[in-house]
Structure formats: C-alpha cells, structure tokens
Amino acid sequence: QPTTEPLPIRRLEESLINRIAAGEIIHRPASALKELVENSLDAGATSIRVTVKDGGMKLLQIQDNGCGIRKADLRILAERFTTSKLSTFSDLSHIRTYGFRGEALASISHVAHLSVMTKTRSDSCAWKASYTDGALAPTKPGQSVDPKPCAGNDGTTITIEDLFYNTPTRLSALRSSSEEYSRILDVLTKYAIHNPKVAFVCKKAGSPSPDLTTPSASETPNTIRLLYGHSIAKDLVTVAVSSQDPAEDEASMDMDEPEDDPEAWRAEAHITNANYQGKKMIFLLFINHRLVESSRMKRAFEAVYNGILPKGAFPFVYLSLEIDPRSVDVNVHPTKREVHFLDEEVIIEKISDAFTNALTLQNHSRTFEYQT
Ligand code: ADP
Ligand code: MG
C-alpha cells in the first residue's frame, strides 16, 4: 500500500544481501552447472561427470579429474571474491580462464547446501568439506567444521543439494524437473562440442544409462555426430578464417605478429551445407572459449543461409572465435550472455563471406559430381 508518511530506511541484513546477490548469478540449476563445468575446465579436467536428481533442484553433482584444491584453501573456498585465477587488475586484460571473480561457489553456498571433496596429485588422501553462507559448516549437526580426510580420486567433486531451499521466489520461478534437466543437457552439450578432448557424462541419479556421453580425446565433427546426430554431421563443412587472410577486395599485407596485434582474430566453424534443412537454427557461439550470444552474428548468418536454403529451413552453426581479450569486455556480468566486441561488424562480415564461399564451393562440387 502507498503511504503518505515515509518509512524509515534500514540496512538489510548481511545474509539477506548475500542471498539476493547469489540469486542474480545462479538463476537455475543449469546456471550453477555452467559455473561448475567452467571451474572443472579451468582445473584442467579431461573427464567431467554430472549426476542430477529432480532437474538439479534436489541434487547436482559434478566430478572432475582436474588439479584439485589445496587443503589449506578449503577454508576460504566459498568466501566471496576468493579466486586462484586473478591477482592484479592488469591480469583482467589477458584472462585465460573462465573464472576470475571468485563468486560462483560463494553464491551457491548462499542458496544451497554445498559440499566439496577434493584431492590434489600430491595429497595422500582426499578432503571433504561443507559450506553454508560462504563459510565452512559442519557436515552433520554437532560435528566440527574442519575438512575431513576421506578416500577419493585425484580431482574435485562438487555437490549441490536443495538449490534455493532458502529463496522460495527463485524456487517457484523454476520449471518442471524435466525442463530444468533439458537445460542442463543443453549446457553440457555445448561445452562438450567446444571441448572435444574432454569426456563428458551426464545422468540422472539412480539411472543405469547416461543421457549424454562423449569420449575423451575426440574431434569436433565426431562430437557433433554423437550429440546432434548423423543428419547434421554428414553435411558439415569446416571453415577457418582469420584476420590474416587477405580480404577479397584489398590484398592486405599485414605483417604483424598475431600475438602483438590487438586486431588479430581467428575463427573456426563447423556449419551445415545446403543439404541439411533443420526446423530451427542451431547456433553455438564461443568467444574466447566462453559460451555467449550475439544476435547480430546470428542475423548475419541467417542472411547467408537465406540465399542457400529454402524458406523455413535452418542450418546448424558452431563457431569458435578467438579475439584479443582486450577487445571484449571480460567484466560483463556472468549471466550476461549477449556480447559485443571491437570491430564487430568487420569480423562478422568476413566470417559471413567465408561461410558463403565455403557453401557455394560445396554446391559447385555437388553439381559437378552429378554431372559425371
Ligand atoms: P572463480 O572460478 O571465479 O575463481 P569460483 O567461486 O568458481 O571462482 O571458484 C573459486 C576457486 O575455487 C577457484 O579460483 C579455484 O581455485 C577453486 N576451484 C573451484 N572449483 C574447482 C575445481 N573443480 N577444481 C579445482 N579448483 C576449483
Ligand atoms: Mg568459477
């Protein structure tokens, strides 16, 4: 009710502030999972196994074989702004890891029950710890909060239980278990395509067979075949294009070393040819290995295919673009997926041209085949 008298302004309780902030980063099980997968990849894992109960609302567990966490770091692991990936401001401009803000585990600990089991190569046993509201917590009531030794493999297992148990509005905004689960599979599918050397497995707790599995040390087209099927994989064209490639109309003689040239970029894409006609566009975009969205790019590629596919038919496009980290804002909020970067128009145009070339070349060779 609107009042005529102003109400007193009060300071929110610390725990409430943290819970609200955490809800901004962790929207749903799939967003928690994305953070955890990125942590595992940052840790150099070659195997990532995910177990899910009730769409990730009851249980979301991720086991990796990465470098592990030092026992001495477990105390501050879930505190806000604690990270092993960034120490100075200038580090921000050449960040090579997914994480750097040290907010994911902290956020999760404010809105779920978080526990960690981890072992580094040099540890003689694994250590297990639980967290609540950013700090170590007893695993069982009455126990001490200290990490406990236990048996375990090298690597880290993160367990999230009862997501949003203390934030009913977030919980009620979630969809059905099956929809949340399909979002989880979607995130994993995309990361698996982008990381074909890493073995991914995802299953529901108690289910004998996984819903997603990829082998380790694979190649992109093979992973696409496994996860998107033969109909897409058989019609894929690989396109590589970079700022060093001479443009069509101006033979540029740019002799700069790619590393030093802030305008240098390169892209690798796997795109379907005119033989594949999907019902909707599948567009996977990674910029500097981050899963992002660019509606400008999507529109440009749609236009490329407009001239190639019949109306109502859509392509599969997977694009990995690497640009100078300084030309894309790494400080974007973790949940902000839509990105912009320097020279966007030029880069998009050059990639679109390369797509058109690759696709029309394909068409010619097909015609040629038919003629012989
Ligand atoms: P950030 O990734 O931004 O550093 P997080 O809250 O996601 O912040 O993680 C905090 C720290 O915990 C990381 O910097 C890393 O040192 C450690 N960590 C988290 N997950 C893992 C993992 N799976 N393997 C090894 N270390 C991890
Ligand atoms: Mg992280």
Side-chain angles (χ1 to χ4, degrees), residues 55-227:
M57 298 180 260
K58 193 89 207 106
L59 171 82
L60 190 58
Q61 186 174 66
I62 169 162
Q63 180 187 7
D64 72 45
N65 64 349
C67 64
I69 301 164
R70 299 167 344 134
K71 190 209 167 206
D73 292 334
L74 286 176
R75 195 177 49 79
I76 61 163
L77 179 69
E79 272 176 36
R80 218 168 162 204
F81 309 130
T82 58
T83 179
S84 59
K85 300 168 193 172
L86 178 76
S87 53
T88 65
F89 183 72
S90 66
D91 285 349
L92 261 182
S93 63
H94 47 85
I95 215 106
R96 291 276 173 247
T97 52
Y98 287 109
F100 62 86
R101 309 165 63 104
E103 282 190 285
L105 293 179
S107 302
I108 291 167
S109 80
H110 284 285
V111 291
H113 298 117
L114 169 68
S115 60
V116 175
M117 186 171 86
T118 189
K119 179 181 173 304
T120 64
R121 306 271 178 273
S122 55
D123 280 340
S124 50
C125 67
W127 295 93
K128 193 175 183 338
S130 298
Y131 299 87
T132 305
D133 296 337
L136 280 171
T139 307
K140 293 200 186 87
Q143 280 185 344
S144 92
V145 301
D146 295 336
K148 312 252 174 330
C150 62
N153 297 326
D154 289 348
T156 304
T157 301
I158 307 269
T159 306
I160 302 176
E161 285 164 289
D162 306 315
L163 184 63
F164 301 138
Y165 72 95
N166 55 1
T167 41
T169 45
R170 275 280 172 219
L171 192 60
S172 61
L174 296 183
R175 304 292 180 80
S176 66
S177 310
S178 63
E179 187 167 337
E180 295 301 330
Y181 188 57
S182 67
R183 287 175 192 246
I184 286 172
L185 287 176
D186 186 58
V187 168
L188 281 176
T189 298
K190 289 171 173 163
Y191 275 88
I193 301 278
H194 190 67
N195 297 276
K197 304 282 174 244
V198 179
F200 285 83
V201 175
C202 181
K203 66 191 208 60
K204 291 191 185 127
S207 157
S209 55
D211 297 303
L212 176 149
T213 106
T214 63
S216 64
S218 184
E219 303 290 336
T220 308
N222 188 43
T223 314
I224 294 175
R225 178 188 314 278
L226 281 169
L227 300 178

Side-chain angles (χ1 to χ4, degrees), residues 302-309:
E302 275 167 353
V304 166
Y305 279 92
N306 257 340
I308 292 164
L309 292 177

